[in-house]
Amino acid sequence: MSKRKSEEYPRTSSKRSAQISPAEQWRELLHRSRETLARGDYELAIDEASAAVSELLRSCLVPILDIRAMAHAKGSYFMEGLNDARRMIRYAPESTEGYLRVGALYMMQGKPWKALQVYEDGLGIVPITHPKYQQLVDAIQEAKKQDEKRIDVIAALPNEVLTSIFIRLPIETLAVCMNVSTQWRERLARCSEAWRNIEKVNSEISTTIPFVASHVRHLQLLCSDITVEQRIIRLLKKGAFRRLQTLKVFTDKKKLEYIYNTQLPAVLVQTQNTLRRLELDCPQTSVIQLTTLLSLCPHLTDLSYRTTDTAFFPTVTSFTPTSDHVLPDRLNLINLCLWSQQIHPTELELILCRCPSLRGLVVHKNFMEVALLSSDRICTELETLYINRLMPLATLIDCHQGVFYPPGMRRFSMCYGDRVEFGAIIPLLRRNSKTLQEFRLELSDYAPDVLRQWHPFSNIVFSRLHTLHCGIGRCTADTVAEMIHQCPALEKFTIVTTSPALHLFSDMRKGNYRRCACLACKDSEPQGYINQ
């Protein structure tokens, strides 16, 4: 019956089909299959509907996949591009587009022998009448030429030259090179210098890290892609990073809190023998206790501990040490940045008592009293003290890198907080008057009776102070003028005032300063004198 009906209702003439564009042929086949189904010829309807599906995939989906495959390849995501190109072959096996795209991606990777195999497979399937059949033939000839003159640079060059090349390449390029061939991967995996610093981890790099984790010294996790970060955390927990010295973890307050709640302690246990520098920027809802962190990593020399959204969480009012983790009697901390309200002053004091070698300390204003007392009694080698002014850990480390002075403070800053307790800082300034080199202090909006506490400062001569930054108000201009006259070595100073201070302008012009600035900030518009 199917045969008789197909003879009674012949298909559309070839002349009409020729007038239909390739993009509309599937619609014609769809319309024809509906008519056939209505006539009850189910077998023919199945054939025509299948032909409509094939034509739809070939004319619509295949071009889209072709674009995406090329975009993946241009972005160095070759595996994703190859997957799309192979789907093109699966949807249109008798068309040249899929074979040409797969071969082109292999050629981009420097694998002409694989491209040649794909082209030859396509040549055996694609009809010779296909309009792009000759392109397959030409592609085969080009792949043969490339394969004949192919030189394995990895095998030809000595290890010293390869190392010199690889250390100059970005980590993204190295990850692509790892996928060229097994030989390239083996040689690259042995080049330890190329993998010392990994500051960006994406999906491509994360698949490479298992082969080179033992070489990594410095690792930074931005914690934006959950899948990638989980992959790296698993490697850290397994102890794959055997030589890791620096770990930086920065996470969004809404994402990946599991790192701090359960994963981070396990990571620190595996890296405690080698880890020397740790930077954490974490949400307060998942913060790890500072004493717990230091008990797990007693060999740390540089630590940045920062929690976000301090305005939305109450300050910690009590501190109870955990029984599971006990602080060692001595910590090796040299630089410590604490920008958090989730630490109690008692906890900080307990830590500073174990840091006799501390040279740099940056703390929130809540810890001013502890920091000032510790600089006098405990941390006698302290050179930099910043209270309520955030300084990046890298900058703090650079201040002390390879430079050892006689005991004494070199940099002191107290900014943007409540009114300064002059009685607490005058003794500190007296002790360090012969060593202090940089001084930053906010004196805005103080009444004259409060500034009487500051008068002892006029008797202190800062013989080595070369940089001064002060914020002043209506009643503090004279005090700052006294400060300037007590600094014979002063070279650079900045005065930020909410009201005009004309006598300071004239003092600046009289001085022999290499760089100075006096800004009268009114309605956020700086006005005044600048000399550079």
Side-chain angles (χ1 to χ4, degrees), residues 24-292:
E24 295 295 328
Q25 287 183 11
W26 71 272
R27 296 184 183 276
E28 176 65 20
L29 291 169
L30 176 62
H31 178 70
R32 188 188 306 163
S33 64
R34 284 176 177 169
E35 293 179 349
T36 306
L37 178 64
R39 294 196 305 269
D41 194 344
Y42 304 125
E43 293 182 4
L44 182 59
I46 292 173
D47 294 340
E48 291 177 342
S50 300
V53 171
S54 299
E55 187 62 30
L56 173 62
L57 293 175
R58 188 192 65 79
S59 61
C60 296
L61 185 57
V62 168
I64 296 173
L65 289 173
D66 191 31
I67 295 173
R68 193 169 73 171
M70 194 59 185
H72 278 313
K74 292 292 186 180
S76 298
Y77 303 111
F78 287 101
M79 292 304 298
E80 291 83 351
L82 285 171
N83 289 336
D84 281 345
R86 292 190 181 103
R87 289 175 65 189
M88 293 169 61
I89 296 177
R90 187 166 69 250
Y91 293 149
E94 295 185 356
S95 180
T96 61
E97 284 81 0
Y99 303 102
L100 291 172
R101 180 56 62 207
V102 173
L105 296 187
Y106 279 133
M107 294 289 283
M108 291 176 65
Q109 287 185 288
K111 301 177 181 179
W113 65 96
K114 288 192 174 182
L116 185 61
Q117 182 180 356
V118 173
Y119 292 148
E120 290 176 346
D121 292 342
L123 209 62
I125 299 175
V126 177
I128 195 171
T129 56
H130 193 281
K132 294 184 178 181
Y133 184 86
Q134 186 60 37
Q135 291 187 21
L136 268 181
V137 177
D138 296 339
I140 288 177
Q141 299 303 321
E142 182 63 26
K144 286 181 178 180
K145 291 179 181 179
Q146 292 293 331
D147 193 38
E148 289 173 357
K149 63 182 181 181
R150 177 168 55 95
I151 299 176
D152 193 344
V153 179
I154 289 290
L157 294 178
N159 289 334
E160 296 78 7
V161 177
L162 288 176
T163 300
S164 180
I165 295 173
F166 290 149
I167 62 177
R168 289 169 170 78
L169 297 177
I171 195 68
E172 295 85 357
T173 304
L174 290 174
V176 173
C177 292
M178 289 281 284
N179 293 325
V180 172
S181 66
T182 303
Q183 186 176 13
W184 278 52
R185 173 170 293 179
E186 291 175 353
R187 294 292 292 274
L188 266 170
R190 292 198 297 266
C191 184
S192 59
E193 294 296 322
W195 305 100
R196 290 178 66 91
N197 303 315
I198 297 181
E199 297 184 354
K200 180 182 178 182
V201 181
N202 55 31
S203 58
E204 187 81 19
I205 297 173
S206 65
T207 59
T208 302
I209 288 182
F211 300 97
V212 299
S214 60
H215 302 317
V216 178
R217 302 292 197 279
H218 311 285
L219 177 64
Q220 176 172 304
L221 298 180
L222 295 178
C223 294
S224 56
D225 189 324
I226 294 179
T227 303
V228 171
E229 303 308 332
Q230 284 181 336
R231 189 178 299 163
I232 302 302
I233 291 296
R234 283 196 297 269
L235 290 173
L236 285 165
K237 291 171 64 177
K238 291 178 180 178
F241 295 84
R242 298 194 299 270
R243 296 179 177 87
L244 190 65
Q245 298 176 359
T246 301
L247 177 61
K248 303 178 183 179
V249 182
F250 304 97
T251 182
D252 184 83
K253 64 181 180 180
K254 299 295 184 182
K255 298 178 180 178
L256 300 177
E257 294 184 358
Y258 72 92
I259 291 181
Y260 298 97
N261 289 332
T262 58
Q263 309 288 346
L264 186 58
V267 169
L268 297 179
V269 168
Q270 291 294 334
T271 59
Q272 60 179 338
N273 293 327
T274 60
L275 198 63
R276 297 295 180 268
R277 176 176 171 181
L278 178 62
E279 296 187 40
L280 299 180
D281 190 343
C282 57
Q284 288 185 329
T285 54
S286 56
V287 68
I288 182 175
Q289 196 175 63
L290 184 59
T291 51
T292 301

Side-chain angles (χ1 to χ4, degrees), residues 201-488:
V201 181
N202 55 31
S203 58
E204 187 81 19
I205 297 173
S206 65
T207 59
T208 302
I209 288 182
F211 300 97
V212 299
S214 60
H215 302 317
V216 178
R217 302 292 197 279
H218 311 285
L219 177 64
Q220 176 172 304
L221 298 180
L222 295 178
C223 294
S224 56
D225 189 324
I226 294 179
T227 303
V228 171
E229 303 308 332
Q230 284 181 336
R231 189 178 299 163
I232 302 302
I233 291 296
R234 283 196 297 269
L235 290 173
L236 285 165
K237 291 171 64 177
K238 291 178 180 178
F241 295 84
R242 298 194 299 270
R243 296 179 177 87
L244 190 65
Q245 298 176 359
T246 301
L247 177 61
K248 303 178 183 179
V249 182
F250 304 97
T251 182
D252 184 83
K253 64 181 180 180
K254 299 295 184 182
K255 298 178 180 178
L256 300 177
E257 294 184 358
Y258 72 92
I259 291 181
Y260 298 97
N261 289 332
T262 58
Q263 309 288 346
L264 186 58
V267 169
L268 297 179
V269 168
Q270 291 294 334
T271 59
Q272 60 179 338
N273 293 327
T274 60
L275 198 63
R276 297 295 180 268
R277 176 176 171 181
L278 178 62
E279 296 187 40
L280 299 180
D281 190 343
C282 57
Q284 288 185 329
T285 54
S286 56
V287 68
I288 182 175
Q289 196 175 63
L290 184 59
T291 51
T292 301
L293 187 153
L294 289 172
S295 64
L296 292 173
C297 294
H299 303 298
L300 282 178
T301 58
D302 306 291
L303 172 62
S304 176
Y305 182 91
R306 182 178 180 182
T307 57
T308 55
D309 294 335
T310 55
F312 299 101
F313 291 88
T315 303
V316 172
T317 56
S318 63
F319 166 65
T320 304
T322 58
S323 57
D324 297 335
H325 305 285
V326 180
L327 277 174
D329 295 333
R330 180 187 175 93
L331 296 171
N332 298 324
L333 283 176
I334 297 176
N335 298 292
L336 178 61
C337 294
L338 298 178
W339 202 255
S340 172
Q341 295 188 24
Q342 295 301 298
I343 307 171
H344 192 268
T346 305
E347 183 180 6
L348 179 58
E349 185 176 4
L350 180 67
I351 292 169
L352 293 179
C353 289
R354 291 164 166 78
C355 301
S357 302
L358 195 67
R359 299 177 66 187
L361 179 61
V362 178
V363 295
H364 193 267
K365 65 181 180 180
N366 294 350
F367 312 115
M368 181 181 70
E369 183 178 354
V370 174
L372 292 174
L373 291 175
S374 299
S375 65
D376 178 26
R377 303 174 185 175
I378 304 169
C379 306
T380 56
E381 298 184 14
L382 195 65
E383 298 179 11
T384 303
L385 177 58
Y386 273 49
I387 299 176
N388 212 37
R389 181 173 182 240
L390 184 61
M391 174 188 281
L393 182 60
T395 305
L396 187 61
I397 293 174
D398 290 341
C399 292
H400 312 130
Q401 194 70 35
V403 180
F404 291 92
Y405 295 103
M409 190 170 295
R410 266 73 187 173
R411 288 162 288 274
F412 176 66
S413 173
M414 184 178 293
C415 303
Y416 306 119
D418 300 329
R419 292 186 173 182
V420 176
E421 293 292 337
F422 297 122
I425 66 172
I426 288 293
L428 181 145
L429 296 175
R430 285 188 182 278
R431 290 194 308 271
N432 300 282
S433 60
K434 295 182 179 180
T435 60
L436 198 64
Q437 298 175 359
E438 300 178 19
F439 185 25
R440 183 184 183 105
L441 185 66
E442 296 298 325
L443 295 175
S444 306
D445 302 326
Y446 281 88
D449 57 335
V450 177
L451 286 174
R452 292 193 187 99
Q453 303 177 44
W454 189 251
H455 288 319
F457 179 80
S458 61
N459 300 323
I460 305 175
V461 177
F462 294 94
S463 57
R464 296 189 179 183
L465 189 69
H466 58 71
T467 302
L468 174 66
H469 180 103
C470 277
I472 65 176
R474 292 179 295 102
C475 303
T476 52
D478 294 334
T479 303
V480 173
E482 293 180 7
M483 293 168 60
I484 294 174
H485 292 307
Q486 296 299 324
C487 306

